Amino acid sequence: MNDVQSLQASIALLKDIKDLISPSNPWIPVIAAVLGALAGGLAPIIVRLIEARIERKSAKQAVAHQIYAEISAILEIVKQRGYLEDLEVAKLVVSMNSTSNSYQVQISDEVDPLYRANIERLPLLDPGLQTKIVKFYRFLNALVEDIKPGGTFNTSGVTVKGIDQFLMIANQAISLGEEIKLQIADQFGIEQMS
């Protein structure tokens, strides 16, 4: 009798466990299956979105760092070579003797390789920064056109007015370049060198 009671107690216990485990609503398994399918289907999409965001951030930083480096180098070269000081001297010479009428600097055909390489990726940067960068490089290219061999200063001749215009644009470009460097350094945590 003890075995029969034990068996009946075990059966009753199993029925109670079954009642606890089995859903009371027949839709619960269907809802669970649908939610599981959605979660399984959305997981790869969410992972791709996260990866795309990380890739975009990385590309944005790469563009900013490259533009920062190129502008820094350009400004340092202008400073070290004393181009603007030379033009001030040329201006004095031209104002005293207009027969001395050329100023030429040997410049590589490609003074902005990083800018050109990143022009399609500039939209990754803030619109205000993009505008400043494009303006800086337009100034730079205009200045190069004036002083390169065969440029305006060497075919039409150097004038005081031409030098004044050149210096005005060059100083605007330098100021804009410094502003771009500062903005990029602030946004992307670049430690500025003096």
Side-chain angles (χ1 to χ4, degrees), residues 41-89:
L42 288 177
I45 293 171
I46 292 170
V47 169
R48 276 189 240 127
L49 289 173
I50 291 169
E51 287 173 345
R53 185 170 185 197
I54 290 169
E55 186 177 311
R56 180 178 167 85
K57 183 178 179 182
S58 177
K60 182 177 181 176
Q61 287 179 332
V63 170
H65 281 79
Q66 291 173 21
I67 295 295
Y68 178 91
E70 187 167 68
I71 290 175
S72 295
I74 290 167
L75 295 179
E76 188 61 30
I77 290 167
V78 168
K79 180 180 175 184
Q80 292 293 324
R81 291 194 175 159
Y83 291 139
L84 301 184
E85 292 80 6
D86 289 350
L87 270 170
E88 289 288 352
V89 171

Side-chain angles (χ1 to χ4, degrees), residues 78-170:
V78 168
K79 180 180 175 184
Q80 292 293 324
R81 291 194 175 159
Y83 291 139
L84 301 184
E85 292 80 6
D86 289 350
L87 270 170
E88 289 288 352
V89 171
K91 179 180 166 182
L92 288 173
V93 171
V94 168
S95 68
M96 289 189 261
N97 180 4
S98 63
T99 60
S100 175
N101 61 0
S102 72
Y103 179 80
Q104 177 174 298
V105 176
Q106 195 68 32
I107 296 178
S108 168
D109 288 337
E110 199 170 315
V111 296
D112 54 1
L114 295 176
Y115 170 73
R116 290 176 192 259
N118 285 300
I119 201 150
E120 290 181 12
R121 295 176 8 162
L122 279 183
L124 292 171
L125 302 175
D126 297 332
L129 183 56
Q130 289 176 50
T131 301
K132 291 174 187 176
I133 290 169
V134 170
K135 189 174 180 181
F136 172 83
Y137 282 101
R138 290 308 310 140
F139 282 165
L140 177 65
N141 287 321
L143 296 170
V144 167
E145 286 300 315
D146 284 345
I147 60 174
K148 73 179 185 181
T152 307
F153 280 9
N154 303 300
T155 56
S156 302
V158 178
T159 63
V160 171
K161 181 180 177 183
I163 292 173
D164 284 340
Q165 289 174 351
F166 183 96
L167 291 171
M168 183 180 70
I169 294 170

